[in-house]
Amino acid sequence: MTDAHEALRELEERARACTACRLAETRTTVVFGDGSTDARVMFVGEGPGRNEDLQGVPFVGAAGQLLNRLLEEVDLRREDVYIANVVKCRPPGNRDPRPDEIEACKGYLAEQIRLIDPEVVSTLGNFATKLLLKQQMGITRLRGHAYPWWNRTVVPTFHPAAALRGGESVMSQMREDFLLIEGVLSSTTKMEEQEPEQLGLFG
């Protein structure tokens, strides 16, 4: 096991014992992340839903099935990417995560990104996109572009749940974004990993 793998396992153990915000009081389990720790692409969603809270794995419901399908369309397999969320515990009733909950949890995500060291981080929806890019602009305006970010590239797109609600128009735009991810991967060479004190991911 590499040092990064061991560090990620230890980080997950800390997350599973976390009581830093009110979400710890209502969760069934901590949904830390899923996938390859050597992934070139990392997807970041908002927070676990009901199915994820029960199973402890992100994106296992209908939105997850759609994500898997979009991955297959650009010749990526779920087991080759890494998937995490901004908050690791389900907000009650699937409400939006609150600012203090995001603040309490964002250090886990920052460390996941540092340890996995993906070339592309694809943010799924407004919460992940605003956190990483420090933008108040909505996902509709930010998607469709690749943004340089800490020697990596951020590609924002809609959350798959939005495509389930929004129909073919949103699906078409998500397909464009996944093609953009594919293009970035084919044209980039992974840069040397920065040291943690240089990263400062979320300020």
Side-chain angles (χ1 to χ4, degrees), residues 70-138:
L70 288 165
L71 287 170
E72 291 171 0
E73 290 180 5
V74 292
D75 295 322
L76 288 171
R77 300 179 303 168
R78 180 170 173 133
E79 55 264 38
D80 294 330
V81 304
Y82 192 88
I83 305 172
N85 283 304
V86 170
V87 295
K88 310 304 186 195
C89 302
R90 181 195 182 198
N94 287 353
R95 65 162 170 78
D96 292 340
R98 295 171 180 166
D100 61 317
E101 295 163 355
I102 294 171
E103 183 67 26
C105 209
K106 68 181 185 181
Y108 293 114
L109 177 61
E111 190 67 359
Q112 283 175 304
I113 294 172
R114 187 188 71 81
L115 290 169
I116 294 164
D117 195 24
E119 295 164 53
V120 176
V121 180
S122 180
T123 51
L124 304 173
N126 276 316
F127 285 91
T129 303
K130 289 179 178 180
L131 178 63
L132 269 64
L133 294 183
K134 300 188 188 314
Q135 287 276 353
Q136 291 308 306
M137 196 181 302

Side-chain angles (χ1 to χ4, degrees), residues 66 69 158 160-175:
L66 178 55
R69 197 164 87 228
F158 295 106
L164 294 174
R165 296 189 301 267
E168 192 52 44
S169 173
V170 177
M171 272 295 297
S172 177
Q173 292 176 84
M174 289 194 75
R175 285 191 171 100

Side-chain angles (χ1 to χ4, degrees), residues 4 8 36-42 82 109-121 149-152 190-195 199 201:
L8 199 65
S36 171
T37 56
D38 298 314
R40 297 180 68 198
V41 186
M42 181 172 174
Y82 192 88
L109 177 61
E111 190 67 359
Q112 283 175 304
I113 294 172
R114 187 188 71 81
L115 290 169
I116 294 164
D117 195 24
E119 295 164 53
V120 176
V121 180
W149 186 80
W150 295 102
N151 281 353
R152 297 167 178 82
K190 197 168 186 178
M191 299 183 184
E192 184 176 352
E193 182 179 359
Q194 297 184 3
E195 292 300 314
L199 209 51
L201 290 178

